[in-house]
Amino acid sequence: MSGAEKRGGLSDITAKIASQERLTESDGLRLYESADIHTLGELANSVRERRHGRTAYYNVNRHINYTNYCVLRCKFCAFYRPYEKSGGGNGYELPIDEITARAVEARDRGATEVHIVGGLHPSLPFSYYTDMCGSIREVCPDMHIKAFTAIEIIHFTRISKPRKSIAEVLTELRDAGLGSLPGGGAEIFDDRVHDEAFKNKVGEAEWFEVHRTAHELGIFTNATMLYGHVETRAERVRHLIKLRDHQDESAASRKAQFNCIIPLSFMPAGSDLDHLPGPSGLEDLKTLAVSRLMLDNFPHVKAFWIMQSAKLAQVSLNWGVDDIDGTVVYYDITKGDRGGDDTHQELTADDLTRLIREAGREPVERDTLYRPVVRENNA
Ligand code: V47
């Protein structure tokens, strides 16, 4: 097939993108299935450049995973451990002073954000989570606390006594210092996939209810899509359309909205799905590009280098992505190349800016809400 013939196959979609017309489910699928990967990359890049020019964002942050005990048993997850009251095994829960000490250390190394998530712990009270935010807020008043996926928020409504609504949980956390919600726990919004890979987890209705309530309260949130396990490409495209519909509603009538989509590349190692190969590099690039093209109302598309790898995240900066996330430092949910129990996974700000510049982009350090961070050495 000649280059012109291949491009001809996507010419109607190309015209839609040029005139900023919304893409349909079948457009999304055709982009995925097309052999013309260069046109897909160019289209995603054109939208990315229309929105952000040459800018590529990164942030200086620190992930803190407060516990790996979890009442769920999601098949894709290698992080959770069944709860053991006596400790033992390799389950853990961090005391609040340890979490606070990590936030202080992060601040001292320049972090503007802590990203805090964990398993659904069966016995920690709701006050543990408000105290966690309050304690960080007290010692690091300028640190943005991005914490707790929608799944954790639902868990908090269930463990609070008397039981609280989502709005009450979010309001109490915000009063204690919470700044925004990360996008985790969305996986794939589809009943078949839900039943096959994360059956006991709350489903799409609850995930959206948490984000809807947050947006009504003026709390910005992120969104994710976990791809490359048991779902089909059509199910991914429909997941993106559900996020797009929600964003339309938030933009029209709520005080906050989604900041970004983070397509998460499934890492099979150590999970109950480790017989699966996980997505290839090309599938990663296609998914990032299709996300950029389908989500015409999302400001940002983020490649999380921990999962897509730093090398591919760099390439994706010319395939629709405008943000390669952060310095991270420690990450427990998926393990890095070194294997074992080593959770140190870090890129320095210098590493991130080098990757970005090499890709022909202009690095801009951002805070959680995508405002440029001005430091003495970059003022
Ligand atoms: O909710 C779990 C996913 C998520 C695996 O909002 C896995 O800025 C791949 O949501 N392979 C947590 N993914 C990570 C997350 C996130 C990351 C970076 C930035 C932001 C943000 C959010 O990771 C979980 C789940 O969907 N996950 N296991 C796995 N084996």
Side-chain angles (χ1 to χ4, degrees):
M1 197 176 0
S2 73
E5 271 168 334
K6 280 198 281 182
R7 261 188 297 284
L10 294 176
S11 58
D12 56 330
I13 300 181
T14 303
K16 275 187 173 181
I17 291 165
S19 59
Q20 303 194 33
E21 204 181 311
R22 184 155 273 192
L23 300 187
T24 63
E25 181 182 332
S26 104
D27 293 335
L29 254 184
R30 280 175 55 210
L31 287 166
Y32 253 128
E33 305 295 340
S34 171
D36 188 1
I37 58 169
H38 294 108
T39 296
L40 172 59
E42 271 170 30
L43 290 173
N45 191 49
S46 70
V47 173
R48 179 232 185 276
E49 290 194 349
R50 197 192 284 153
R51 278 186 172 271
H52 304 291
R54 292 184 59 232
T55 298
Y57 296 96
Y58 70 97
N59 76 339
V60 180
N61 68 352
R62 172 79 59 113
H63 281 247
I64 303 173
N65 300 120
Y66 56 88
T67 186
N68 60 355
Y69 288 128
C70 190
V71 298
L72 300 176
R73 307 274 178 274
C74 299
K75 284 191 187 164
F76 60 77
C77 181
F79 172 59
Y80 77 82
R81 293 291 173 273
Y83 184 55
E84 293 168 58
K85 218 174 185 162
S86 54
N90 45 8
Y92 69 85
E93 62 199 45
L94 299 180
I96 287 178
D97 54 2
E98 168 65 25
I99 296 172
T100 313
R102 291 189 191 187
V104 169
E105 190 196 278
R107 190 235 5 237
D108 293 347
R109 292 189 57 197
T112 59
E113 167 192 287
V114 278
H115 177 141
I116 306 177
V117 292
L120 305 188
H121 193 288
S123 62
L124 288 170
F126 181 52
S127 58
Y128 170 85
Y129 305 97
T130 48
D131 288 352
M132 182 195 300
C133 292
S135 169
I136 296 171
R137 167 65 58 256
E138 201 180 317
V139 289
C140 304
D142 298 327
M143 180 74 84
H144 184 104
I145 304 173
K146 180 177 70 171
F148 314 127
T149 64
I151 312 306
E152 289 158 277
I153 300 293
I154 296 285
H155 179 66
F156 302 161
T157 66
R158 293 175 176 168
I159 59 164
S160 53
K161 294 190 184 87
R163 200 175 163 138
K164 295 182 197 298
S165 67
I166 294 171
E168 286 167 338
V169 163
L170 288 173
T171 304
E172 285 188 35
L173 288 169
R174 180 170 63 181
D175 290 348
L178 179 78
S180 63
L181 296 186
E187 323 315 358
I188 291 284
F189 301 132
D190 181 90
D191 290 346
R192 181 197 71 78
V193 180
H194 177 267
D195 289 354
E196 205 172 322
F198 44 98
K199 195 172 176 46
N200 297 318
K201 198 172 213 168
V202 296
E204 103 186 44
E206 289 90 346
W207 192 93
F208 276 114
E209 200 183 337
V210 170
H211 286 264
R212 184 179 313 114
T213 311
H215 294 173
E216 279 164 2
L217 291 169
I219 299 171
F220 283 83
T221 71
N222 292 338
T224 56
M225 171 171 76
L226 176 65
Y227 64 92
H229 44 98
V230 301
E231 86 295 354
T232 64
R233 286 170 167 173
E235 286 159 347
R236 284 180 217 161
V237 173
R238 286 197 287 272
H239 177 99
L240 295 173
I241 291 174
K242 287 176 186 179
L243 288 172
R244 187 172 75 183
D245 290 346
H246 182 104
Q247 183 78 326
D248 275 347
E249 289 166 21
S250 287
S253 62
R254 300 178 189 129
K255 290 189 229 155
Q257 17 180 316
F258 293 121
N259 280 324
C260 66
I261 172 78
I262 309 118
L264 299 169
S265 182
F266 173 52
M267 299 179 73
S271 77
D272 285 351
L273 298 176
D274 66 0
H275 54 285
L276 297 176
S280 65
L282 185 56
E283 197 65 18
D284 281 333
L285 281 178
K286 284 186 168 188
T287 303
L288 291 161
V290 170
S291 300
R292 177 62 284 168
L293 293 169
M294 293 304 296
L295 294 180
D296 53 16
N297 53 4
F298 270 58
H300 301 282
V301 176
K302 186 198 280 194
F304 186 43
W305 61 264
I306 292 277
M307 289 171 193
Q308 269 104 7
S309 83
K311 291 181 181 185
L312 198 120
Q314 181 190 39
V315 174
S316 74
L317 291 170
N318 282 278
W319 275 69
V321 166
D322 62 281
D323 180 7
I324 55 170
D325 197 69
T327 46
V328 181
V329 189
Y330 291 98
Y331 198 72
D332 296 20
I333 297 175
T334 54
K335 297 282 188 288
D337 299 338
R338 287 181 290 261
D341 287 333
D342 191 355
T343 62
H344 184 213
Q345 303 188 66
E346 178 172 12
L347 289 178
T348 63
D350 283 348
D351 295 331
L352 290 164
T353 53
R354 182 180 49 79
L355 289 170
I356 290 170
R357 285 214 172 87
E358 233 184 65
R361 302 299 183 192
E362 196 51 50
V364 171
E365 184 188 341
R366 62 160 178 89
D367 68 9
T368 311
L369 304 178
Y370 287 87
R371 294 170 300 208
V373 173
V374 181
R375 297 186 187 267
E376 268 171 30
N377 54 0
N378 69 2

